[in-house]
Amino acid sequence: MQLQAIPRVHSITKKEFVRDYVKPQKPVVIEHLVDDWDAYEKWRLSYIKEVAGDKEVPLYDDRPVKHDEGFNQAHATMSMSDYIDLLKKGPTNYRIFLYNLMKEVPSLKNDFKFPKIGLRLLKQIPMLFFGGEGSKVFMHHDIDWANILHFHFEGRKQCVLFPPSETPNLYKVPYSLITREDINFDNPDYKKFPKLKKAKGFICHLNHGETLYMPEGYWHYMKYETPGFSMSLRALPRNFSNLRKALYNVFYMRHYDNFMRRRKGQDWIDEKNKKALL
């Protein structure tokens, strides 16, 4: 794969952000966007354990998709307190994915602000993501083709991105939001997946308090290099064509996929994975 470093800026104005990154749909890391948030000082794993330790949280690991699992169905549950203890003990595959902790702990909303940076951010769904050392988030793109601001807290996280134009080189699984799950994006098998050699993408390593902008429909693969967590804020796609794709995903694609899983079972999953190799 051909990966270039995602550009970094110390800070940025609304005009610069829209002109240089949103309109041309290019990713960027903003290093000091959240320095004035209370979260910048407070949001550590120990703080989350203090304010949300009693909450039962959904956990995901890296097992392949199964036909009898629903959309984003959790693989296990655990109290947040026990989960954070698990993260601090050492490497673990268990992650928290797309979790609206703010709904259960509203006080967390007081720790951050919605940046006035040129995106109409949706205020109902600030989502949190947690992972332990070595845990990975498979290569995927989001169902709503949103513009995403991804804020990282505690530790270090690797992010690999590909624009939608690279989809033909990524072995996308039909009627899904993922690539083949047996691709190791840290060390690709080019004999099995030769098209990956052509894929042109981006890479960065996020540290505490840094913000990654991911444009509409960008593929992303995340790896937690240390225990940590992130928050995403999102804005609907500005491009009408991308908005149509989002509506297709939400109102047709995922329902058709679920229908076919019920009808054909594991054969449907296997059939899709074979087609992804073509």
Side-chain angles (χ1 to χ4, degrees), residues 84-95:
I84 289 176
D85 288 344
L86 179 67
L87 295 184
K88 292 184 175 182
K89 284 181 181 178
T92 176
N93 289 332
Y94 275 129
R95 297 176 290 106

Side-chain angles (χ1 to χ4, degrees), residues 21-270:
Y21 300 103
V22 178
K23 286 186 176 179
Q25 289 288 277
K26 295 181 179 179
V28 65
V29 174
I30 309 171
E31 296 177 340
H32 296 280
L33 183 63
V34 306
D35 286 12
D36 62 339
W37 290 8
D38 289 344
Y40 183 77
E41 297 295 335
K42 294 166 64 175
W43 280 21
R44 300 293 196 277
L45 290 171
S46 57
Y47 176 71
I48 299 299
K49 181 178 179 179
E50 176 184 334
V51 300
D54 62 332
K55 304 304 178 185
E56 197 78 5
V57 296
L59 302 179
Y60 302 82
D61 56 28
D62 55 1
R63 72 186 69 177
V65 171
K66 296 181 179 178
H67 74 277
D68 56 352
E69 293 179 344
F71 184 77
N72 283 344
Q73 180 178 325
H75 299 137
T77 60
M78 187 180 294
S79 73
M80 179 66 85
S81 179
D82 288 344
Y83 176 63
I84 289 176
D85 288 344
L86 179 67
L87 295 184
K88 292 184 175 182
K89 284 181 181 178
T92 176
N93 289 332
Y94 275 129
R95 297 176 290 106
I96 297 178
F97 176 74
L98 205 66
Y99 182 50
N100 190 356
L101 184 59
M102 313 290 177
K103 186 176 181 180
E104 299 189 56
V105 188
S107 62
L108 289 171
K109 296 179 181 178
N110 300 323
D111 293 340
F112 70 92
K113 307 171 186 177
F114 287 86
K116 296 179 180 179
I117 199 170
L119 294 174
R120 295 182 179 179
L121 297 166
L122 301 174
K123 297 189 176 181
Q124 298 88 348
I125 47 173
M127 295 296 183
L128 293 180
F129 307 78
F130 292 72
E133 179 185 346
S135 63
K136 302 174 182 180
V137 183
F138 49 80
M139 183 68 75
H140 69 287
H141 70 83
D142 286 10
I143 194 169
D144 57 358
W145 278 67
N147 291 279
I148 299 171
L149 294 177
H150 193 69
F151 311 88
H152 188 61
F153 299 95
E154 187 155 330
R156 184 174 165 92
K157 186 178 190 178
Q158 175 186 280
C159 308
V160 175
L161 310 184
F162 290 96
S165 59
E166 292 299 316
T167 299
N169 296 322
L170 297 178
Y171 298 91
K172 179 186 183 299
V173 177
Y175 298 104
S176 74
L177 307 172
I178 63 174
T179 64
R180 286 270 307 212
E181 294 171 276
D182 52 346
I183 297 175
N184 180 353
F185 280 92
D186 292 318
N187 185 25
D189 182 346
Y190 292 122
K191 290 184 178 179
K192 186 174 182 180
F193 305 109
K195 289 188 289 187
L196 288 176
K197 289 183 178 180
K198 302 177 183 178
K200 296 180 180 179
F202 303 88
I203 188 170
C204 72
H205 299 268
L206 291 179
N207 300 299
H208 176 82
E210 294 183 337
T211 304
L212 170 62
Y213 167 61
M214 292 187 285
E216 298 170 15
Y218 261 57
W219 293 93
H220 42 287
Y221 160 77
M222 311 287 196
K223 182 173 72 173
Y224 291 85
E225 298 176 316
T226 67
F229 64 104
S230 306
M231 178 180 75
S232 282
L233 299 178
R234 56 209 310 113
L236 293 176
R238 296 157 58 104
N239 181 291
F240 181 70
S241 175
N242 291 343
L243 180 59
R244 288 177 57 188
K245 293 172 185 174
L247 293 173
Y248 168 83
N249 288 341
V250 172
F251 293 107
Y252 177 75
M253 185 272 290
R254 69 171 174 173
H255 297 294
Y256 178 73
D257 185 55
N258 286 335
F259 168 76
M260 293 301 291
R261 289 191 195 196
R262 292 192 298 269
R263 182 181 178 188
K264 300 182 70 173
Q266 190 61 37
D267 288 344
W268 173 243
I269 302 296
D270 295 341

